[in-house]
Structures are given as structure tokens and as C-alpha cells.
Amino acid sequence: MRGFLLLCLTGSLLGQVTPTTTTPTTTTAKPKTAATSGTTTAKPKTATTAAKSTTTTAPAKPKAATATTATTATTAAKPKAAAPALATDTDKTIYALGLVMARNVGQFDLSPAELEIIERAITDAAAGKPAIQIDEWGPKIQGLAKERQGRVAAQQKLTSQPYLAKAAAEPGAVRTASGLIYREERPGTGRFPLATDTVKVNYRGTLTDGTEFDSSYKRNEPASFPLNHVIKCWTEGLQKMKVGGKAVLVCPAELAYGDQPPPGIPPGSTLIFEIELLEVGAGGAK
């Protein structure tokens, strides 16, 4: 990219300097000769010829620059077309590694330019030629993470407000004093669980844009846990359910993971859970 910009800049400068240098010199020299000899007919022809020659030469410069630029642009586009195929299980596993890396750096809210720096770091490290000392700059990563998490969290909380208001206005929805929005979809039977009970549930978790980040249904494996060992939203919401019941919990960030969520969930996110209460056990973990 730097080479391409330098080439474009050089071509631009040449296109400006060459006509300016050639044309005035030719135009200035010829009238003086014409005035001295007195042959006004022949000299303008020479000037005209020179002007034509200059005009013919000048367009050639931009053409050369255009051709070079086109070649450079074509070369730059090739890497995009050469994306590796996921032909083998190893290819797919390595691709999965890339997805995990992307998920882990998601909390940094990186710009396209910053992602290019990440790519450069990986390339430099693989070549054994890092541009900086990791011992010096590595300890600063945590501070950057905290700064970026705060920025993303503030934005997420702001953009979640319309969603929370809409969810609270849905038929059957109840907004509690904590901010939890609870909506029963199917009533259950039996007693309500206590915070000290162990419960067994099936659930699906999504972001406000519908992105699914977790699902026991997809794993085909219900989850069991002490109700006082999970996020506040679940501890409160599940105590409103009975076995066999199904409900939707809309959890503001303060009742979910706040500004430090697990990978795959942006800081400050409002989370939506569809939950089925399957069993209520005795107090304590299984």
C-alpha cells in the first residue's frame, strides 16, 4: 500500500512538473528568434510545431502513470481473490482458531486500520521479526482493553434503551424494580424455586439484534446450576417460574454481565433469554 501511494504521488508530481517545465521554455525561446530574423511566417510554424510536439508528449505522461497505477491496483487486488479454501478438517480447525482469535479481540472495538496492525504483528511474529518488544508493550494491553470495554459498554447501554422500552410495552410483560423485564409464555405447575435451589433448564440467549450467543437446545444438553450462582437476571427471573413453565427474560447489562462479559458478548449488552424450567432440585449444587 505504501508503494502504491508513493507511485501515485510520484506520477502526480511528474504530471504536473513536466508540462510546466517544457511548455514555457519552448514558448519563451521562439518569439525572440522570430523578432530577430524578421521572418514572421516561418517562425510561428516552428513554434506551432514545437507546441504540437509538446502537446503530443504531455499526454503520454498521464497514460504511463495510468498504466502503472492500473497494474499496481491489479496486483493489490490479487490477495483478496486468493482466499484459501477450507478443503480439509485441518483447514477448518485452523479457521476456527481464527474465529476464536477474532472473538477475543472483539472487546477492543478495533478499526480497520487497527486490524491491519494486528495482521502485521502476526506476520512479523511468524517471521521472527517483531517491530517492538512484547515485554515492554504487552503489559499495556490490559489497560487498553479496559478503556475500549468502557467505550463499547457506554454505547451498547445507550442503543439498548429503545429495545428495553419496547420489550416492557409488550402484552404480558412486567418490568420489576431491578429493571428485569419478565414475560411468561407458558405457565408451569408446582412451587416456585428458591435462590438456594438447584434448577435444570433449557435456554436460548440472544443479543438485541437477534444474534444467538448460547443455546442448550443446540447442544441437546439442559443446564443445571444453583440459582444463586448465575447472573442476577436469572436468579430473579427463574424464581417467578414453575416447573414446565417457559418465559422470556430481558436482562439489562447491570443484571447480566455488565462491562466485562464472556467472549462473544459485547460489553454493556442487554441480553434476552428464552428459558424453560425443567426441574427444581434440593438446595446446593449437584
Side-chain angles (χ1 to χ4, degrees), residues 30-253:
K30 293 304 179 182
K32 288 181 180 179
T33 308
T36 304
S37 62
T39 310
T40 41
T41 307
K43 293 303 178 180
K45 288 182 179 178
T46 305
T48 304
T49 304
K52 287 182 179 179
S53 176
T54 303
T55 304
T56 305
T57 305
K61 298 292 183 180
K63 286 182 180 178
T66 303
T68 305
T69 303
T71 304
T72 307
T74 304
T75 305
K78 285 182 179 178
K80 293 183 180 179
L86 306 179
T88 68
D89 287 350
T90 299
D91 293 341
K92 294 173 183 177
T93 303
I94 292 173
Y95 187 84
L97 173 61
L99 294 179
V100 171
M101 293 171 65
R103 178 179 293 179
N104 288 335
V105 301
Q107 61 180 310
F108 290 92
D109 192 30
L110 299 174
S111 67
E114 289 170 335
L115 285 172
E116 288 185 7
I117 294 175
I118 293 284
E119 291 176 4
R120 176 189 169 186
I122 293 173
T123 301
D124 290 351
K129 298 178 180 180
I132 61 170
Q133 295 297 321
I134 186 65
D135 292 342
E136 178 183 358
W137 293 95
K140 299 179 184 292
I141 294 175
Q142 188 61 36
L144 178 64
K146 187 175 181 180
E147 174 196 332
R148 294 296 177 88
Q149 283 176 346
R151 185 174 76 184
V152 173
Q155 183 61 33
Q156 283 289 332
K157 291 172 185 177
L158 181 64
T159 57
S160 292
Q161 292 307 310
Y163 184 93
L164 290 167
K166 182 179 179 182
E170 290 188 13
V174 176
R175 192 173 205 161
T176 70
S178 68
L180 164 68
I181 299 172
Y182 177 90
R183 188 178 79 252
E184 185 176 78
E185 293 197 335
R186 183 179 69 227
T189 59
R191 72 178 179 88
F192 295 104
L194 302 175
T196 52
D197 283 327
T198 291
V199 296
K200 185 176 183 179
V201 302
N202 262 326
Y203 67 94
R204 175 176 179 261
T206 59
L207 305 177
T208 55
D209 64 0
T211 301
E212 182 179 288
F213 60 83
D214 195 10
S215 173
S216 66
Y217 295 105
K218 284 191 174 179
R219 292 192 299 272
N220 195 29
E221 183 180 0
S224 296
F225 47 82
L227 197 50
N228 57 2
H229 286 190
V230 290
I231 57 177
K232 295 177 181 179
C233 180
W234 278 43
T235 302
E236 179 183 354
L238 280 163
Q239 290 185 75
K240 298 180 178 296
M241 301 177 67
K242 294 180 180 181
V243 175
K246 184 176 182 180
V248 174
L249 308 183
V250 180
C251 310

